[in-house]
Amino acid sequence: MILTFFDQFSSPYLFGVPLILLSTLLPTLLLPTPSTRWITNRLSTLQSCLIHTITKQLMIPLNNPGHKWALILTSLLMFLLMVNLLGLLPYTFTPTTQLSMNMALAFPLWLATLLTGLRNQPTTSLGHLLPEGTPTPLIPALIVIETISLLIRPLALGVRLTANLTAGHLLIQLISTATITLLPTMTTLSALTATVLLLLTILEMAVAIIQAYVFVLLLSLYLQENI
């Protein structure tokens, strides 16, 4: 069977059963179980400090009603971090390279923020569709443009995460293939390519972290507009 570069983005199967659900739930097993003791091990302490820092950064722009979303946003960020980083390991599958999964995360949460604003402050939420001081002839066109920009927000969230992770995985596979191909004939060039591959892997780890943070940060900004 001839494999292509894009076969790494297809969900693996075992006895005809797709393993995307297992690859999605597995990262949660790596988190240490909370303990009732005041003093725990170093891993649990590091986890608590990380979650506290992330939650603090996400909640700074929001007022008190928005703090009800702290558990959802922090859990989503930890989930995306674990899935993105574990997908960089060899012989693993990254569920967040699937646009369908990213849209399944982005659309319900975006819709929840929108409905929250329409329920709590409908006038202010609808007022975002028309900037203040707009000339009268431009009002219909601006309403259409602002409505379209509002409706494509979940699509932009999903496509951004999918495109960045997919591009990084493809670059890693291309450079690793070149490294192995050049090894028997051009050892020096192969070593140079391997160095580039190492640097690219470090960069891709940073991209995985940043994209997870940007995904949740944009959701928190959408929430800020509606509360």
Side-chain angles (χ1 to χ4, degrees):
M1 182 175 62
I2 300 178
L3 299 178
T4 65
F5 288 138
F6 292 94
D7 286 333
Q8 61 175 318
F9 304 116
S10 60
S11 177
Y13 285 80
L14 180 63
F15 301 115
V17 179
L19 299 181
I20 184 171
L21 180 61
L22 180 61
S23 61
T24 303
L25 297 178
L26 182 61
T28 58
L29 302 178
L30 302 178
L31 296 175
T33 305
S35 175
T36 56
R37 296 181 301 172
W38 285 11
I39 301 178
T40 57
N41 55 28
R42 292 183 178 89
L43 184 59
S44 297
T45 304
L46 180 62
Q47 175 196 354
S48 300
C49 293
L50 177 62
I51 293 177
H52 175 74
T53 303
I54 290 173
T55 306
K56 183 179 179 181
Q57 291 297 321
L58 290 176
M59 293 299 109
I60 285 177
L62 302 178
N63 52 19
N64 289 333
H67 293 175
K68 299 176 182 179
W69 290 64
L71 180 60
I72 297 177
L73 295 179
T74 305
S75 301
L76 178 62
L77 180 56
M78 294 300 297
F79 169 75
L80 291 176
L81 279 176
M82 297 291 290
V83 171
N84 292 349
L85 292 176
L86 288 177
L88 294 174
L89 296 176
Y91 302 103
T92 56
F93 172 69
T94 312
T96 44
T97 56
Q98 307 295 313
L99 181 60
S100 57
M101 175 177 173
N102 294 334
M103 289 300 298
L105 292 174
F107 182 77
L109 292 173
W110 166 83
L111 185 61
T113 61
L114 182 62
L115 294 179
T116 300
L118 292 176
R119 184 190 64 180
N120 295 336
Q121 44 181 14
T123 304
T124 305
S125 297
L126 294 177
H128 293 154
L129 300 179
L130 184 62
E132 186 178 356
T134 304
T136 304
L138 297 179
I139 288 178
L142 278 179
I143 290 178
V144 173
I145 293 173
E146 291 296 331
T147 302
I148 294 175
S149 65
L150 177 66
L151 295 178
I152 65 172
R153 282 180 174 181
L155 181 63
L157 282 176
V159 170
R160 180 187 295 108
L161 182 58
T162 303
N164 281 281
L165 295 181
T166 302
H169 283 63
L170 283 176
L171 280 176
I172 289 177
Q173 185 168 1
L174 285 170
I175 296 180
S176 61
T177 303
T179 303
I180 297 175
T181 304
L182 294 173
L183 185 59
T185 55
M186 306 177 67
T187 308
T188 305
L189 185 58
S190 177
L192 180 61
T193 310
T195 304
V196 175
L197 178 62
L198 177 61
L199 297 177
L200 181 62
T201 304
I202 298 174
L203 176 63
E204 188 61 21
M205 291 177 62
V207 169
I209 297 173
I210 292 173
Q211 288 304 315
Y213 179 71
V214 168
F215 188 93
V216 180
L217 180 62
L218 288 176
L219 279 175
S220 67
L221 293 179
Y222 298 157
L223 178 64
Q224 180 186 2
E225 292 181 358
N226 293 283
I227 56 174

